[in-house]
Amino acid sequence: NAGVTQTPKFRVLKTGQSMTLLCAQDMNHEYMYWYRQDPGMGLRLIHYSVGEGTTAKGEVPDGYNVSRLKKQNFLLGLESAAPSQTSVYFCATRRYEQYFGPGTRLTVT
Amino acid sequence: EDQVTQSPEALRLQEGESSSLNCSYTVSGLRGLFWYRQDPGKGPEFLFTLYSAGEEKEKERLKATLTKKESFLHITAPKPEDSATYLCAVQGQTGANNLFFGTGTRLTVIP
């Protein structure tokens, strides 16, 4: 069991470029989440999904879009990256408690 | 609004020196309080869930307790491998089982 995997592990973007972060899980969990973690801010929820085909906004959704076309995958998109989106992004899945992936470190210059 | 405050921000202990980390919270209808451990460059790793005041859970050198306003993570006789950032999160009645995280306590255990 791989658990929760995230692709890519690292990425550097220029302002205005777009990219998609992929989260994949093999635990058959319905709930999936995207967080960002910044120094001194803690983990903040961007978007979440309660099942295949559903998505909802979290605490800091602006500048991000998500899709959950398949139960095992949750995609996070940045249409036009900004330096303020430089962060470490974590995906999580949930049955009773949340299980986190290893993270994607994104730098926007 | 849900709020979680963790203290201290950083803690340095000698190996074997027991201590406690604090998590104070404000939430509308607590559904659960969660403790996670996070090593540098890695995702948070689940440790405990507490559901009601008076509940306690233990795992090796760690013991988590819960009151109506705060939770403590007690570390007994810590070892260098216990060095990590410890995160506290609460789940309230709003949202789809969403967690609200504190900023963590960075623990360093010196041999």
Side-chain angles (χ1 to χ4, degrees), chain A residues 22-38:
Chain A
L22 170 63
C23 176
Q25 56 117 346
D26 62 3
M27 295 183 285
N28 203 34
H29 290 168
E30 293 290 342
Y31 290 74
M32 296 188 75
Y33 306 82
W34 275 108
Y35 291 90
R36 60 178 290 173
Q37 188 174 41
D38 303 292

mmCIF file with all atom_site columns, all heavy atoms in Angstrom, chain A residues 22-38:
data_model
loop_
_atom_site.group_PDB
_atom_site.id
_atom_site.type_symbol
_atom_site.label_atom_id
_atom_site.label_alt_id
_atom_site.label_comp_id
_atom_site.label_asym_id
_atom_site.label_entity_id
_atom_site.label_seq_id
_atom_site.pdbx_PDB_ins_code
_atom_site.Cartn_x
_atom_site.Cartn_y
_atom_site.Cartn_z
_atom_site.occupancy
_atom_site.B_iso_or_equiv
_atom_site.pdbx_formal_charge
_atom_site.auth_seq_id
_atom_site.auth_comp_id
_atom_site.auth_asym_id
_atom_site.auth_atom_id
_atom_site.pdbx_PDB_model_num
ATOM 1   N N   . LEU A 1 22 ? -0.956  16.556 -8.348  1.00 0.00 ? 22 LEU A N   1
ATOM 2   C CA  . LEU A 1 22 ? -1.760  15.342 -8.305  1.00 0.00 ? 22 LEU A CA  1
ATOM 3   C C   . LEU A 1 22 ? -1.626  14.671 -6.951  1.00 0.00 ? 22 LEU A C   1
ATOM 4   O O   . LEU A 1 22 ? -0.518  14.507 -6.438  1.00 0.00 ? 22 LEU A O   1
ATOM 5   C CB  . LEU A 1 22 ? -1.324  14.370 -9.397  1.00 0.00 ? 22 LEU A CB  1
ATOM 6   C CG  . LEU A 1 22 ? -1.922  12.958 -9.324  1.00 0.00 ? 22 LEU A CG  1
ATOM 7   C CD1 . LEU A 1 22 ? -3.434  13.000 -9.503  1.00 0.00 ? 22 LEU A CD1 1
ATOM 8   C CD2 . LEU A 1 22 ? -1.271  12.041 -10.347 1.00 0.00 ? 22 LEU A CD2 1
ATOM 9   N N   . CYS A 1 23 ? -2.756  14.284 -6.388  1.00 0.00 ? 23 CYS A N   1
ATOM 10  C CA  . CYS A 1 23 ? -2.794  13.476 -5.178  1.00 0.00 ? 23 CYS A CA  1
ATOM 11  C C   . CYS A 1 23 ? -3.489  12.162 -5.515  1.00 0.00 ? 23 CYS A C   1
ATOM 12  O O   . CYS A 1 23 ? -4.575  12.180 -6.108  1.00 0.00 ? 23 CYS A O   1
ATOM 13  C CB  . CYS A 1 23 ? -3.546  14.198 -4.075  1.00 0.00 ? 23 CYS A CB  1
ATOM 14  S SG  . CYS A 1 23 ? -3.750  13.220 -2.571  1.00 0.00 ? 23 CYS A SG  1
ATOM 15  N N   . ALA A 1 24 ? -2.872  11.064 -5.144  1.00 0.00 ? 24 ALA A N   1
ATOM 16  C CA  . ALA A 1 24 ? -3.452  9.747  -5.391  1.00 0.00 ? 24 ALA A CA  1
ATOM 17  C C   . ALA A 1 24 ? -3.464  8.954  -4.092  1.00 0.00 ? 24 ALA A C   1
ATOM 18  O O   . ALA A 1 24 ? -2.507  9.006  -3.322  1.00 0.00 ? 24 ALA A O   1
ATOM 19  C CB  . ALA A 1 24 ? -2.657  9.004  -6.454  1.00 0.00 ? 24 ALA A CB  1
ATOM 20  N N   . GLN A 1 25 ? -4.561  8.212  -3.853  1.00 0.00 ? 25 GLN A N   1
ATOM 21  C CA  . GLN A 1 25 ? -4.673  7.382  -2.650  1.00 0.00 ? 25 GLN A CA  1
ATOM 22  C C   . GLN A 1 25 ? -5.192  5.995  -3.021  1.00 0.00 ? 25 GLN A C   1
ATOM 23  O O   . GLN A 1 25 ? -5.993  5.848  -3.933  1.00 0.00 ? 25 GLN A O   1
ATOM 24  C CB  . GLN A 1 25 ? -5.608  8.050  -1.630  1.00 0.00 ? 25 GLN A CB  1
ATOM 25  C CG  . GLN A 1 25 ? -6.984  8.367  -2.176  1.00 0.00 ? 25 GLN A CG  1
ATOM 26  C CD  . GLN A 1 25 ? -8.120  7.654  -1.501  1.00 0.00 ? 25 GLN A CD  1
ATOM 27  O OE1 . GLN A 1 25 ? -7.937  6.695  -0.756  1.00 0.00 ? 25 GLN A OE1 1
ATOM 28  N NE2 . GLN A 1 25 ? -9.338  8.125  -1.758  1.00 0.00 ? 25 GLN A NE2 1
ATOM 29  N N   . ASP A 1 26 ? -4.704  5.012  -2.253  1.00 0.00 ? 26 ASP A N   1
ATOM 30  C CA  . ASP A 1 26 ? -5.131  3.635  -2.488  1.00 0.00 ? 26 ASP A CA  1
ATOM 31  C C   . ASP A 1 26 ? -5.857  3.061  -1.281  1.00 0.00 ? 26 ASP A C   1
ATOM 32  O O   . ASP A 1 26 ? -5.924  1.848  -1.106  1.00 0.00 ? 26 ASP A O   1
ATOM 33  C CB  . ASP A 1 26 ? -3.937  2.761  -2.867  1.00 0.00 ? 26 ASP A CB  1
ATOM 34  C CG  . ASP A 1 26 ? -2.884  2.671  -1.761  1.00 0.00 ? 26 ASP A CG  1
ATOM 35  O OD1 . ASP A 1 26 ? -3.102  3.243  -0.679  1.00 0.00 ? 26 ASP A OD1 1
ATOM 36  O OD2 . ASP A 1 26 ? -1.838  2.040  -2.013  1.00 0.00 ? 26 ASP A OD2 1
ATOM 37  N N   . MET A 1 27 ? -6.412  3.946  -0.431  1.00 0.00 ? 27 MET A N   1
ATOM 38  C CA  . MET A 1 27 ? -7.077  3.517  0.795   1.00 0.00 ? 27 MET A CA  1
ATOM 39  C C   . MET A 1 27 ? -8.596  3.503  0.655   1.00 0.00 ? 27 MET A C   1
ATOM 40  O O   . MET A 1 27 ? -9.305  3.211  1.617   1.00 0.00 ? 27 MET A O   1
ATOM 41  C CB  . MET A 1 27 ? -6.646  4.429  1.952   1.00 0.00 ? 27 MET A CB  1
ATOM 42  C CG  . MET A 1 27 ? -5.163  4.294  2.272   1.00 0.00 ? 27 MET A CG  1
ATOM 43  S SD  . MET A 1 27 ? -4.629  5.279  3.671   1.00 0.00 ? 27 MET A SD  1
ATOM 44  C CE  . MET A 1 27 ? -4.616  6.900  2.922   1.00 0.00 ? 27 MET A CE  1
ATOM 45  N N   . ASN A 1 28 ? -9.099  3.864  -0.527  1.00 0.00 ? 28 ASN A N   1
ATOM 46  C CA  . ASN A 1 28 ? -10.529 3.853  -0.796  1.00 0.00 ? 28 ASN A CA  1
ATOM 47  C C   . ASN A 1 28 ? -11.319 4.822  0.101   1.00 0.00 ? 28 ASN A C   1
ATOM 48  O O   . ASN A 1 28 ? -12.474 4.566  0.444   1.00 0.00 ? 28 ASN A O   1
ATOM 49  C CB  . ASN A 1 28 ? -11.117 2.440  -0.655  1.00 0.00 ? 28 ASN A CB  1
ATOM 50  C CG  . ASN A 1 28 ? -12.413 2.287  -1.438  1.00 0.00 ? 28 ASN A CG  1
ATOM 51  O OD1 . ASN A 1 28 ? -12.591 2.879  -2.489  1.00 0.00 ? 28 ASN A OD1 1
ATOM 52  N ND2 . ASN A 1 28 ? -13.331 1.494  -0.895  1.00 0.00 ? 28 ASN A ND2 1
ATOM 53  N N   . HIS A 1 29 ? -10.667 5.924  0.490   1.00 0.00 ? 29 HIS A N   1
ATOM 54  C CA  . HIS A 1 29 ? -11.336 6.909  1.332   1.00 0.00 ? 29 HIS A CA  1
ATOM 55  C C   . HIS A 1 29 ? -12.188 7.844  0.494   1.00 0.00 ? 29 HIS A C   1
ATOM 56  O O   . HIS A 1 29 ? -11.809 8.235  -0.616  1.00 0.00 ? 29 HIS A O   1
ATOM 57  C CB  . HIS A 1 29 ? -10.306 7.723  2.120   1.00 0.00 ? 29 HIS A CB  1
ATOM 58  C CG  . HIS A 1 29 ? -9.609  6.938  3.175   1.00 0.00 ? 29 HIS A CG  1
ATOM 59  N ND1 . HIS A 1 29 ? -8.488  7.397  3.837   1.00 0.00 ? 29 HIS A ND1 1
ATOM 60  C CD2 . HIS A 1 29 ? -9.860  5.711  3.694   1.00 0.00 ? 29 HIS A CD2 1
ATOM 61  C CE1 . HIS A 1 29 ? -8.095  6.497  4.714   1.00 0.00 ? 29 HIS A CE1 1
ATOM 62  N NE2 . HIS A 1 29 ? -8.910  5.457  4.642   1.00 0.00 ? 29 HIS A NE2 1
ATOM 63  N N   . GLU A 1 30 ? -13.336 8.246  1.062   1.00 0.00 ? 30 GLU A N   1
ATOM 64  C CA  . GLU A 1 30 ? -14.217 9.165  0.348   1.00 0.00 ? 30 GLU A CA  1
ATOM 65  C C   . GLU A 1 30 ? -13.703 10.605 0.424   1.00 0.00 ? 30 GLU A C   1
ATOM 66  O O   . GLU A 1 30 ? -13.752 11.357 -0.537  1.00 0.00 ? 30 GLU A O   1
ATOM 67  C CB  . GLU A 1 30 ? -15.626 9.111  0.940   1.00 0.00 ? 30 GLU A CB  1
ATOM 68  C CG  . GLU A 1 30 ? -16.347 7.798  0.739   1.00 0.00 ? 30 GLU A CG  1
ATOM 69  C CD  . GLU A 1 30 ? -16.737 7.571  -0.717  1.00 0.00 ? 30 GLU A CD  1
ATOM 70  O OE1 . GLU A 1 30 ? -16.765 8.548  -1.494  1.00 0.00 ? 30 GLU A OE1 1
ATOM 71  O OE2 . GLU A 1 30 ? -17.000 6.412  -1.091  1.00 0.00 ? 30 GLU A OE2 1
ATOM 72  N N   . TYR A 1 31 ? -13.225 11.019 1.598   1.00 0.00 ? 31 TYR A N   1
ATOM 73  C CA  . TYR A 1 31 ? -12.856 12.405 1.820   1.00 0.00 ? 31 TYR A CA  1
ATOM 74  C C   . TYR A 1 31 ? -11.404 12.636 1.419   1.00 0.00 ? 31 TYR A C   1
ATOM 75  O O   . TYR A 1 31 ? -10.512 11.857 1.787   1.00 0.00 ? 31 TYR A O   1
ATOM 76  C CB  . TYR A 1 31 ? -13.014 12.776 3.294   1.00 0.00 ? 31 TYR A CB  1
ATOM 77  C CG  . TYR A 1 31 ? -14.429 12.854 3.789   1.00 0.00 ? 31 TYR A CG  1
ATOM 78  C CD1 . TYR A 1 31 ? -15.182 11.713 4.002   1.00 0.00 ? 31 TYR A CD1 1
ATOM 79  C CD2 . TYR A 1 31 ? -15.002 14.089 4.076   1.00 0.00 ? 31 TYR A CD2 1
ATOM 80  C CE1 . TYR A 1 31 ? -16.485 11.789 4.471   1.00 0.00 ? 31 TYR A CE1 1
ATOM 81  C CE2 . TYR A 1 31 ? -16.302 14.179 4.555   1.00 0.00 ? 31 TYR A CE2 1
ATOM 82  C CZ  . TYR A 1 31 ? -17.035 13.024 4.747   1.00 0.00 ? 31 TYR A CZ  1
ATOM 83  O OH  . TYR A 1 31 ? -18.312 13.103 5.206   1.00 0.00 ? 31 TYR A OH  1
ATOM 84  N N   . MET A 1 32 ? -11.181 13.741 0.695   1.00 0.00 ? 32 MET A N   1
ATOM 85  C CA  . MET A 1 32 ? -9.820  14.156 0.352   1.00 0.00 ? 32 MET A CA  1
ATOM 86  C C   . MET A 1 32 ? -9.700  15.669 0.528   1.00 0.00 ? 32 MET A C   1
ATOM 87  O O   . MET A 1 32 ? -10.689 16.397 0.375   1.00 0.00 ? 32 MET A O   1
ATOM 88  C CB  . MET A 1 32 ? -9.453  13.743 -1.072  1.00 0.00 ? 32 MET A CB  1
ATOM 89  C CG  . MET A 1 32 ? -9.422  12.233 -1.272  1.00 0.00 ? 32 MET A CG  1
ATOM 90  S SD  . MET A 1 32 ? -8.781  11.711 -2.875  1.00 0.00 ? 32 MET A SD  1
ATOM 91  C CE  . MET A 1 32 ? -7.012  12.001 -2.668  1.00 0.00 ? 32 MET A CE  1
ATOM 92  N N   . TYR A 1 33 ? -8.479  16.115 0.845   1.00 0.00 ? 33 TYR A N   1
ATOM 93  C CA  . TYR A 1 33 ? -8.254  17.515 1.211   1.00 0.00 ? 33 TYR A CA  1
ATOM 94  C C   . TYR A 1 33 ? -6.959  18.015 0.572   1.00 0.00 ? 33 TYR A C   1
ATOM 95  O O   . TYR A 1 33 ? -6.008  17.254 0.397   1.00 0.00 ? 33 TYR A O   1
ATOM 96  C CB  . TYR A 1 33 ? -8.104  17.648 2.731   1.00 0.00 ? 33 TYR A CB  1
ATOM 97  C CG  . TYR A 1 33 ? -9.242  17.071 3.540   1.00 0.00 ? 33 TYR A CG  1
ATOM 98  C CD1 . TYR A 1 33 ? -9.287  15.701 3.819   1.00 0.00 ? 33 TYR A CD1 1
ATOM 99  C CD2 . TYR A 1 33 ? -10.257 17.875 4.026   1.00 0.00 ? 33 TYR A CD2 1
ATOM 100 C CE1 . TYR A 1 33 ? -10.324 15.170 4.562   1.00 0.00 ? 33 TYR A CE1 1
ATOM 101 C CE2 . TYR A 1 33 ? -11.298 17.354 4.766   1.00 0.00 ? 33 TYR A CE2 1
ATOM 102 C CZ  . TYR A 1 33 ? -11.328 16.003 5.035   1.00 0.00 ? 33 TYR A CZ  1
ATOM 103 O OH  . TYR A 1 33 ? -12.361 15.471 5.770   1.00 0.00 ? 33 TYR A OH  1
ATOM 104 N N   . TRP A 1 34 ? -6.915  19.314 0.301   1.00 0.00 ? 34 TRP A N   1
ATOM 105 C CA  . TRP A 1 34 ? -5.684  20.004 -0.067  1.00 0.00 ? 34 TRP A CA  1
ATOM 106 C C   . TRP A 1 34 ? -5.421  21.113 0.951   1.00 0.00 ? 34 TRP A C   1
ATOM 107 O O   . TRP A 1 34 ? -6.303  21.944 1.215   1.00 0.00 ? 34 TRP A O   1
ATOM 108 C CB  . TRP A 1 34 ? -5.759  20.623 -1.458  1.00 0.00 ? 34 TRP A CB  1
ATOM 109 C CG  . TRP A 1 34 ? -5.424  19.677 -2.559  1.00 0.00 ? 34 TRP A CG  1
ATOM 110 C CD1 . TRP A 1 34 ? -6.277  19.111 -3.463  1.00 0.00 ? 34 TRP A CD1 1
ATOM 111 C CD2 . TRP A 1 34 ? -4.112  19.176 -2.883  1.00 0.00 ? 34 TRP A CD2 1
ATOM 112 N NE1 . TRP A 1 34 ? -5.592  18.294 -4.317  1.00 0.00 ? 34 TRP A NE1 1
ATOM 113 C CE2 . TRP A 1 34 ? -4.265  18.322 -3.997  1.00 0.00 ? 34 TRP A CE2 1
ATOM 114 C CE3 . TRP A 1 34 ? -2.839  19.375 -2.358  1.00 0.00 ? 34 TRP A CE3 1
ATOM 115 C CZ2 . TRP A 1 34 ? -3.182  17.658 -4.585  1.00 0.00 ? 34 TRP A CZ2 1
ATOM 116 C CZ3 . TRP A 1 34 ? -1.780  18.723 -2.943  1.00 0.00 ? 34 TRP A CZ3 1
ATOM 117 C CH2 . TRP A 1 34 ? -1.945  17.872 -4.041  1.00 0.00 ? 34 TRP A CH2 1
ATOM 118 N N   . TYR A 1 35 ? -4.187  21.109 1.509   1.00 0.00 ? 35 TYR A N   1
ATOM 119 C CA  . TYR A 1 35 ? -3.748  22.132 2.445   1.00 0.00 ? 35 TYR A CA  1
ATOM 120 C C   . TYR A 1 35 ? -2.492  22.815 1.900   1.00 0.00 ? 35 TYR A C   1
ATOM 121 O O   . TYR A 1 35 ? -1.751  22.233 1.113   1.00 0.00 ? 35 TYR A O   1
ATOM 122 C CB  . TYR A 1 35 ? -3.340  21.502 3.786   1.00 0.00 ? 35 TYR A CB  1
ATOM 123 C CG  . TYR A 1 35 ? -4.443  20.917 4.614   1.00 0.00 ? 35 TYR A CG  1
ATOM 124 C CD1 . TYR A 1 35 ? -4.813  19.580 4.467   1.00 0.00 ? 35 TYR A CD1 1
ATOM 125 C CD2 . TYR A 1 35 ? -5.078  21.668 5.594   1.00 0.00 ? 35 TYR A CD2 1
ATOM 126 C CE1 . TYR A 1 35 ? -5.805  19.030 5.258   1.00 0.00 ? 35 TYR A CE1 1
ATOM 127 C CE2 . TYR A 1 35 ? -6.074  21.125 6.397   1.00 0.00 ? 35 TYR A CE2 1
ATOM 128 C CZ  . TYR A 1 35 ? -6.423  19.805 6.218   1.00 0.00 ? 35 TYR A CZ  1
ATOM 129 O OH  . TYR A 1 35 ? -7.406  19.256 7.011   1.00 0.00 ? 35 TYR A OH  1
ATOM 130 N N   . ARG A 1 36 ? -2.253  24.010 2.410   1.00 0.00 ? 36 ARG A N   1
ATOM 131 C CA  . ARG A 1 36 ? -0.956  24.630 2.243   1.00 0.00 ? 36 ARG A CA  1
ATOM 132 C C   . ARG A 1 36 ? -0.381  24.927 3.627   1.00 0.00 ? 36 ARG A C   1
ATOM 133 O O   . ARG A 1 36 ? -1.125  25.171 4.587   1.00 0.00 ? 36 ARG A O   1
ATOM 134 C CB  . ARG A 1 36 ? -1.031  25.911 1.400   1.00 0.00 ? 36 ARG A CB  1
ATOM 135 C CG  . ARG A 1 36 ? -1.906  27.015 1.936   1.00 0.00 ? 36 ARG A CG  1
ATOM 136 C CD  . ARG A 1 36 ? -1.846  28.249 1.022   1.00 0.00 ? 36 ARG A CD  1
ATOM 137 N NE  . ARG A 1 36 ? -0.537  28.927 1.088   1.00 0.00 ? 36 ARG A NE  1
ATOM 138 C CZ  . ARG A 1 36 ? -0.184  29.924 0.295   1.00 0.00 ? 36 ARG A CZ  1
ATOM 139 N NH1 . ARG A 1 36 ? -1.000  30.364 -0.646  1.00 0.00 ? 36 ARG A NH1 1
ATOM 140 N NH2 . ARG A 1 36 ? 1.009   30.481 0.433   1.00 0.00 ? 36 ARG A NH2 1
ATOM 141 N N   . GLN A 1 37 ? 0.948   24.830 3.713   1.00 0.00 ? 37 GLN A N   1
ATOM 142 C CA  . GLN A 1 37 ? 1.629   25.064 4.983   1.00 0.00 ? 37 GLN A CA  1
ATOM 143 C C   . GLN A 1 37 ? 2.687   26.128 4.791   1.00 0.00 ? 37 GLN A C   1
ATOM 144 O O   . GLN A 1 37 ? 3.607   25.955 3.988   1.00 0.00 ? 37 GLN A O   1
ATOM 145 C CB  . GLN A 1 37 ? 2.261   23.773 5.529   1.00 0.00 ? 37 GLN A CB  1
ATOM 146 C CG  . GLN A 1 37 ? 2.815   23.918 6.932   1.00 0.00 ? 37 GLN A CG  1
ATOM 147 C CD  . GLN A 1 37 ? 3.307   22.597 7.498   1.00 0.00 ? 37 GLN A CD  1
ATOM 148 O OE1 . GLN A 1 37 ? 3.927   21.804 6.810   1.00 0.00 ? 37 GLN A OE1 1
ATOM 149 N NE2 . GLN A 1 37 ? 3.021   22.352 8.778   1.00 0.00 ? 37 GLN A NE2 1
ATOM 150 N N   . ASP A 1 38 ? 2.557   27.208 5.533   1.00 0.00 ? 38 ASP A N   1
ATOM 151 C CA  . ASP A 1 38 ? 3.497   28.320 5.472   1.00 0.00 ? 38 ASP A CA  1
ATOM 152 C C   . ASP A 1 38 ? 4.073   28.563 6.848   1.00 0.00 ? 38 ASP A C   1
ATOM 153 O O   . ASP A 1 38 ? 3.389   28.350 7.860   1.00 0.00 ? 38 ASP A O   1
ATOM 154 C CB  . ASP A 1 38 ? 2.787   29.577 4.968   1.00 0.00 ? 38 ASP A CB  1
ATOM 155 C CG  . ASP A 1 38 ? 2.132   29.369 3.619   1.00 0.00 ? 38 ASP A CG  1
ATOM 156 O OD1 . ASP A 1 38 ? 2.890   29.209 2.640   1.00 0.00 ? 38 ASP A OD1 1
ATOM 157 O OD2 . ASP A 1 38 ? 0.891   29.331 3.531   1.00 0.00 ? 38 ASP A OD2 1
#
